[in-house]
Amino acid sequence: MKILVINCGSSSLKYQLFDMENEEVLVKGLVERIGIEGSRLVQKKNGDEFIIEEPMENHTQAVGHVFDALVDSENGVLSSLDEIDAVGHRFVHGGEKMTKSALIDDEVKEAINEAAKFAPLHNPANLMGLKACEELLPNVPNVAVFDTAFHQTMPAKTFLYGIDYKYYEQEAIRKYGFHGTSHNYITKRAADLLGKDLSQTNIISAHLGNGSSITAVKEGKSFDTTMGLTPLEGLVMGTRSGDLDPTVVTYIEEKENLSPSQMNDLLNKKSGVLGVSGVSSDFRDLEEAANNGNQRAQYALDMFTTRAKRYIAGYMAEIERCDAIVFTGGIGENSIELREEMMKGFEQFGIKIDKEANEVRGGEHIISTEDSKVKVMVVATNEELMIARDTQNLVK
Ligand code: AMP
């Protein structure tokens, strides 16, 4: 079975084509600047790049070029589009209705539209990719995989906010959590690596990248997570503020005479480690700047690790027994220094990092000592594979 996985942003589209026989990625690609001058598709196969530079005014045109690239006689991997058995789409917000991945029908589309009020940039963009596939591959089933779905097992005590209950009842304002596809993948991999039944696996999954979230997993299910109604809550991220006293928001709005959407922009795109450091949202740049004595870059890094510690420790208490702390995402997989820093202070609970074992990037590794009370791991995440697997299971 061949499955195409599509992840659509407002002006970009990432794709991977899987052969599910052996879960091999046949080809992957990225389209950028959709609807903007300079549209460009870059497809990668065995290290070779195939580039299409043509105007792409909308997602339908972009998907059309993805299909051209897939069947290109020299650079493609398919002889015909008929070989695609199904398409898996990443959706950011599924609201309370979408508790797992689903074959797309009218009811699912309605749920996606309903949840779009909380993801006004993402859900409509994700839907554009779907619409393009429906138009261009009318006989191929489409599956939706939601970033929020894995977290729908959270109990009310962790998903409710401390505000008038009517806002939950009337507006569905609550914590939803994101990166669910990644946390789900990490939980399953961790259970395998621990040799435990999924239903008995308790872990802390730390997905640390440009966007970061930490999830407490109890008995294989999401129990609590740092992101909230939107991906803005929780850790200090590349450009997102993470947790704040809400008064900070109303104060700055009034003081600078900002509209809610300008404030939203400030909190999502100009805050986080970028805002604090004034240097970059990229952690490699921050580490370099801090090593060269930039105080604000050092503050940003320290804020990031301190808040991560706070959540990891708190979540360990919430789930009562923790089998493993797992690091993933660009930072979690690659930053040896930040992993070491985040685990400092956990020695008092019998958790010990093996410095040599920690000298790894990516892959799957145990980085704690033999006698550490809780295993600490690095596991490279694979959201696309998870989407492909869910799609296969639903169309089989
Ligand atoms: P992601 O959003 O998961 O792709 O992660 C992107 C983030 O990972 C960026 O902030 C990168 O700077 C960070 N990252 C990637 N490689 C490294 C590395 N070797 N050391 C520190 N941070 C890294």
Side-chain angles (χ1 to χ4, degrees):
M1 183 179 271
K2 293 206 173 80
I3 290 180
L4 178 65
V5 172
I6 286 191
N7 181 354
C8 249
S10 52
S11 66
S12 70
L13 186 166
K14 286 187 222 148
Y15 65 96
Q16 290 194 13
L17 182 71
F18 283 88
D19 183 348
M20 295 311 284
E21 193 100 24
N22 48 6
E23 297 192 331
E24 184 194 351
V25 179
L26 298 174
V27 77
K28 58 168 95 172
L30 168 67
V31 188
E32 286 177 298
R33 302 182 66 85
I34 303 170
I36 310 171
E37 206 179 321
S39 309
R40 188 174 188 215
L41 178 153
V42 181
Q43 177 166 281
K44 287 190 184 153
K45 187 179 76 172
N46 305 328
D48 291 334
E49 281 193 353
F50 172 49
I51 297 173
I52 299 179
E53 278 172 331
E54 297 257 359
M56 302 183 210
E57 280 169 25
N58 52 45
H59 286 72
T60 308
Q61 288 181 7
V63 171
H65 285 295
V66 170
F67 292 158
D68 292 344
L70 290 175
V71 298
D72 186 84
S73 54
E74 256 179 60
N75 305 284
V77 283
L78 299 175
S79 48
S80 145
L81 292 178
D82 294 341
E83 289 177 50
I84 300 175
D85 295 292
V87 185
H89 299 261
R90 177 202 178 208
F91 279 89
V92 166
H93 217 304
E96 282 196 308
K97 293 221 173 94
M98 302 315 305
T99 58
K100 50 184 191 249
S101 303
L103 255 178
I104 295 177
D105 58 15
D106 288 345
E107 214 175 304
V108 173
K109 281 190 205 168
E110 201 183 305
I112 293 167
N113 277 320
E114 215 174 284
K117 67 177 178 182
F118 299 135
L121 297 179
H122 292 100
N123 274 21
N126 304 154
L127 274 170
M128 284 191 266
L130 169 65
K131 196 166 149 264
C133 288
E134 285 177 335
E135 261 174 62
L136 301 171
L137 289 179
N139 300 318
V140 174
N142 291 288
V143 165
V145 178
F146 299 91
D147 274 13
T148 49
F150 181 64
H151 299 298
Q152 279 297 310
T153 49
M154 285 192 291
K157 65 180 171 185
T158 64
F159 77 63
L160 284 175
Y161 287 124
I163 53 174
D164 192 325
Y165 193 71
K166 75 175 183 195
Y167 293 113
Y168 170 57
E169 286 184 306
Q170 292 168 11
E171 296 286 338
I173 290 180
R174 50 161 284 180
K175 173 177 285 222
Y176 286 94
F178 296 86
H179 287 146
T181 311
S182 173
H183 291 301
N184 191 3
Y185 177 86
I186 292 299
T187 302
K188 291 190 167 122
R189 281 310 301 146
D192 282 351
L193 294 167
L194 291 163
K196 285 185 92 106
D197 203 80
L198 188 63
S199 64
Q200 280 160 25
T201 301
N202 286 10
I203 64 158
I204 309 295
S205 168
H207 179 120
L208 310 175
N210 190 30
S212 295
S213 71
I214 298 181
T215 293
V217 176
K218 190 173 184 183
E219 297 166 354
K221 296 180 189 142
S222 174
F223 186 80
D224 200 351
T225 193
T226 56
M227 283 178 171
L229 175 72
T230 74
L232 187 55
E233 192 180 344
L235 300 163
V236 184
M237 298 173 233
T239 60
R240 296 183 205 136
S241 64
D243 299 336
L244 284 178
D245 178 342
T247 314
V248 173
V249 180
T250 49
Y251 182 88
I252 295 176
E253 253 181 9
E254 274 183 16
K255 179 96 188 161
E256 308 237 326
N257 201 15
L258 298 181
S259 68
S261 92
Q262 286 171 317
M263 192 66 213
N264 220 4
D265 208 53
L266 180 82
L267 294 171
N268 275 289
K269 298 189 181 149
K270 298 173 196 148
S271 301
V273 293
L274 169 68
V276 173
S277 70
V279 172
S280 171
S281 62
D282 191 296
F283 278 70
R284 282 164 294 198
D285 299 342
L286 290 178
E287 285 182 352
E288 199 188 320
N291 286 337
N292 290 329
N294 186 309
Q295 183 64 63
R296 277 170 57 185
Q298 190 63 55
Y299 287 152
L301 289 171
D302 291 347
M303 286 171 72
F304 178 81
T305 51
T306 303
R307 202 171 292 181
K309 270 185 219 278
R310 186 185 304 163
Y311 275 114
I312 294 170
Y315 283 175
M316 285 178 67
E318 279 192 46
I319 59 176
E320 293 170 7
R321 189 206 75 236
C322 180
D323 301 314
I325 298 165
V326 190
F327 289 102
T328 194
I331 299 162
E333 288 167 35
N334 294 302
S335 182
I336 295 160
E337 295 79 13
L338 291 188
R339 283 197 302 257
E340 193 181 325
E341 194 54 45
M342 276 181 276
M343 286 293 96
K344 273 189 194 150
F346 283 89
E347 300 85 357
Q348 63 189 305
F349 307 120
I351 301 172
K352 290 185 235 157
I353 292 287
D354 179 331
K355 274 197 168 207
E356 247 171 67
N358 186 35
E359 296 274 333
V360 288
R361 298 189 200 278
E364 295 186 340
H365 310 272
I366 292 178
I367 58 165
S368 46
T369 57
E370 278 284 324
D371 63 343
S372 176
K373 264 201 175 161
V374 172
K375 288 207 166 40
V376 184
M377 300 175 179
V378 173
V379 175
T381 196
N382 196 337
E383 290 163 283
E384 291 78 12
L385 177 59
M386 199 74 212
I387 295 175
R389 282 181 183 160
D390 275 11
T391 304
Q392 182 185 31
N393 290 336
L394 280 159
V395 297
K396 241 185 199 167

